Amino acid sequence: MELDGVSLTNLDQPLFDGADATKRDLVEYVDALHERMITHLQNRPLSVIRVRPGQQPFMQKNVPKYTPEWVPTVAHWAESSHRQISYALANDRRTLLWLANQRAIEYHPALVRAGHWTTPTHLIMDIDPPEGRPFSVAAAAALLVRRALVDLGLSGAVKTSGAKGLHIFVPLDGSSGPEDVAAATRALAARAARLDPDLATTAFIREDRGDKVFLDSTRAGGATVVSVYSPRIRPGVPVSFPVAWDDLEAVVPGDFTLRTAVAQLGERDPWAEAMPAPYALPADLIAEGHTIPIARVQAMHEGKRRKRAAEKGAKPTA
């Protein structure tokens, strides 16, 4: 079978164990939504998660050597791996079909556009329920973030992650660099947690959270976030799906899947419809954020401190 010049192979193979879907289902889904997916992926360096038959999922950042020359790419130095990465850019239908034929199931774009590496396009809050607690507590925590945004004169759009939780996106006008956006995200999380400290927390160390919802402010800088409409490698193949704020407490991530999302969307793109015009981040929010330690760094130092204390306490006395 061929579509838009892409030879599609092994379409009747299962997508992965527990998917209850085939590679054909993935290709047809991506093709049905390609225009809407491209709208939100265009010119963003793309990492994908693939699943080869009989193998574990793996993330692919660097395009393979056999990538067709017509697939648009952009090269960028990756500080984390100390190498040049050639990222795919999902800018057209043919590229998306080729990726789907490569069994690329999840699509994780950068928070910047190619050529604008220091200009984040969104502030993002990542919210998951604690282990053993329902999705509804994540929804309640997301509404705290919404209240904190309203207090700042800001607003955002919310979507299921397709996994356990939610992502809140606040579009930015490009006037803030990565460090200031990261600081503002930390401050927003702190303000939201203060609205209901029994429900939400900013504690990065898991054992410090108890059964509270973690407001994850670390999706900044070089991070990626799964794209809206992307399928997820989970039983039933849920997809990341936009939700109206008023409907947030009436849904669960499993309501939106590879098999149901196309019909649920119709011809609409509710993510584009829900996204407000870009904002300049308030100076006081940025300033507050710069007084809050970076979560990962703070957790690393705290972990070392606790280890030293434990070792000291375990030493036998004379």
Side-chain angles (χ1 to χ4, degrees):
M1 180 178 174
E2 185 173 297
L3 279 177
D4 205 3
V6 178
S7 179
L8 303 169
T9 58
N10 301 313
L11 292 175
D12 294 324
Q13 286 183 346
L15 203 51
F16 55 86
D17 289 344
D20 190 29
T22 63
K23 184 176 168 183
R24 184 187 306 276
D25 294 322
L26 173 67
V27 169
E28 290 179 350
Y29 173 85
V30 167
D31 196 32
L33 293 189
H34 73 269
E35 291 182 347
R36 282 165 279 194
M37 291 181 71
I38 290 167
T39 296
H40 306 294
L41 292 172
Q42 191 150 25
N43 290 332
R44 294 184 183 276
L46 182 64
S47 301
V48 296
I49 299 183
R50 297 171 58 193
V51 182
R52 293 190 177 116
Q55 297 185 23
Q56 291 299 306
F58 65 96
M59 178 167 275
Q60 176 182 290
K61 295 178 180 287
N62 217 11
V63 294
K65 292 181 180 179
Y66 56 80
T67 301
E69 61 180 14
W70 44 259
V71 171
T73 60
V74 62
H76 187 61
W77 180 259
E79 286 294 339
S80 58
S81 55
H82 302 288
R83 61 179 179 140
Q84 191 88 344
I85 302 290
S86 182
Y87 293 94
L89 299 173
N91 289 353
D92 55 75
R93 179 193 185 208
R94 187 158 62 155
T95 295
L96 274 177
L97 287 171
W98 180 79
L99 287 167
N101 191 59
Q102 295 294 306
R103 304 176 70 95
I105 298 173
E106 297 192 9
Y107 297 79
H108 294 250
L111 305 182
V112 297
R113 298 192 187 278
H116 302 275
W117 304 103
T118 59
T119 309
T121 58
H122 295 82
L123 177 156
I124 293 171
M125 195 70 67
D126 185 3
I127 304 173
D128 284 330
E131 194 68 34
R133 298 201 67 191
F135 176 78
S136 59
V137 298
L143 293 171
L144 295 180
V145 176
R146 187 192 191 194
R147 282 173 55 192
L149 287 170
V150 170
D151 289 345
L152 289 158
L154 306 175
S155 64
V158 63
K159 65 182 181 71
T160 66
S161 67
K164 297 187 302 179
L166 294 160
H167 296 145
I168 297 171
F169 276 54
V170 179
L172 305 178
D173 67 358
S175 60
S176 297
E179 291 186 0
D180 283 348
V181 174
T185 311
R186 293 194 296 273
L188 176 63
R191 292 188 182 198
R194 288 197 295 267
L195 291 173
D196 189 345
D198 292 330
L199 170 66
T201 180
T202 59
F204 189 79
I205 299 175
R206 192 178 299 271
E207 53 263 34
D208 291 347
R209 300 176 195 163
D211 63 353
K212 297 177 184 179
V213 180
F214 176 46
L215 304 181
D216 186 354
S217 61
T218 63
R219 299 287 184 171
T224 62
V225 176
V226 72
S227 182
V228 67
Y229 308 128
S230 172
R232 303 303 303 268
I233 303 171
R234 290 179 170 265
V237 203
V239 304
S240 181
F241 201 88
V243 181
W245 285 107
D246 290 345
D247 296 336
L248 198 54
E249 294 179 295
V251 303
V252 294
D255 290 343
F256 315 104
T257 72
L258 191 74
R259 293 189 181 278
T260 66
V262 173
Q264 287 165 319
L265 287 169
E267 299 301 316
R268 297 176 55 225
D269 181 356
W271 192 236
E273 294 167 10
M275 196 66 64
Y279 292 101
L281 289 170
D284 64 324
L285 188 70
I286 295 172
E288 179 183 338
H290 280 298
T291 70
I292 299 172
I294 297 171
R296 294 183 192 276
V297 175
Q298 184 185 33
M300 180 184 67
H301 291 310
E302 179 63 15
K304 290 179 179 178
R305 186 194 68 77
R306 293 182 187 187
K307 183 179 180 182
R308 288 194 301 267
E311 290 171 348
K312 184 177 180 180
K315 287 181 180 178
T317 56

